[in-house]
Amino acid sequence: MVLAQDGTPDIDEWQVMKVAAAKDPFAHRNQFTINFANYTVEEWCYPLPGARVTSPYGGERHHGGTDIKTFAGDTTRAAFPGEVILSGPHFAYGNCVILRHANGLETLYSHHSRNLVKVGQWLQPGDPVGLEGRTGRATGDHLHFETRVKGQAFDSARIFDHESNTLIRQVFVVTKQKNGSLKFTSQRVK
């Protein structure tokens, strides 16, 4: 985390304004784009470095996220810079954290044994979010990770390569359809 001269976190005001605008990324148009191809290693972090997927998004269970596992108590990390909009027990998610990011996305991290952040806190990529656990409706210690736009979850494998724990280099486009549903498209960049 970068600190200002007075020792407080240095929060990029431009990002703060973008996070406020990200509350409704469709306020002015029916589409927004995230150019992940231009992201530097400082602008993103895999949410549980060194982990493996134990249950992917979708499937027969209609799983709304990706279950990722390392070792009980490992630290989950912020995927992108953003503001904590929820931190606490949340239904079957158990101890849950939701971040709203300047790029228009939201990320959800759940089943923590303990959350390490508070609502309103600003996080940088890689900052600690919580400790991997099994609170809520969980059968074992893991991180349930979701990527969302305006609360609608989509497969995090569309933006993260879970095998290599890396961000996919692509231009990612989210389009709001006339019926209100969201369409996700992308074009990979080498």
Side-chain angles (χ1 to χ4, degrees):
M1 173 185 293
V2 178
L3 298 179
Q5 290 179 344
D6 66 358
T8 60
D10 184 18
I11 299 171
D12 183 334
E13 292 303 315
W14 177 246
Q15 284 188 326
V16 171
M17 290 181 344
K18 286 176 71 178
V19 165
K23 288 180 183 178
D24 186 1
F26 303 109
H28 303 291
R29 320 190 270 170
N30 71 336
Q31 186 177 81
F32 72 94
T33 302
I34 306 169
N35 189 347
F36 288 123
N38 287 341
Y39 273 45
T40 64
V41 293
E42 294 82 20
E43 294 175 303
W44 69 276
C45 179
Y46 192 73
L48 194 53
R52 63 181 172 78
V53 170
T54 57
S55 181
Y57 177 90
E60 291 180 11
R61 293 178 35 209
H62 304 288
H63 193 218
T66 304
D67 288 347
I68 307 171
K69 178 158 184 44
T70 53
F71 299 99
D74 276 359
T75 304
T76 62
R77 305 210 170 260
F80 305 105
E83 179 183 6
V84 178
I85 61 171
L86 182 143
S87 180
H90 189 61
F91 305 110
Y93 290 111
N95 289 328
C96 180
V97 172
I98 299 176
L99 300 178
R100 179 174 292 130
H101 305 287
N103 61 14
L105 298 179
E106 297 168 352
T107 51
L108 178 145
Y109 312 75
S110 72
H111 302 313
H112 289 141
S113 61
R114 189 173 93 202
N115 290 345
L116 301 175
V117 297
K118 296 183 183 330
V119 171
Q121 189 173 344
W122 181 265
L123 301 181
Q124 295 295 332
D127 282 352
V129 173
L131 302 178
E132 183 179 347
R134 66 166 70 188
T135 60
R137 196 170 63 207
T139 56
D141 293 292
H142 68 280
L143 167 66
H144 174 88
F145 177 67
E146 292 183 13
T147 48
R148 299 173 163 194
V149 173
K150 289 191 59 72
Q152 181 178 323
F154 66 93
D155 188 355
S156 63
R158 297 205 54 147
I159 60 174
F160 285 106
D161 179 335
H162 292 297
E163 289 292 317
S164 63
N165 292 183
T166 58
L167 187 68
I168 298 171
R169 303 190 59 72
Q170 64 182 320
V171 176
F172 190 74
V173 181
V174 183
T175 306
K176 185 176 182 180
Q177 305 294 298
K178 289 184 181 184
N179 66 2
S181 67
L182 301 180
K183 179 180 178 185
F184 303 94
T185 57
S186 61
Q187 180 176 4
R188 291 206 181 205
V189 177
K190 291 185 182 194

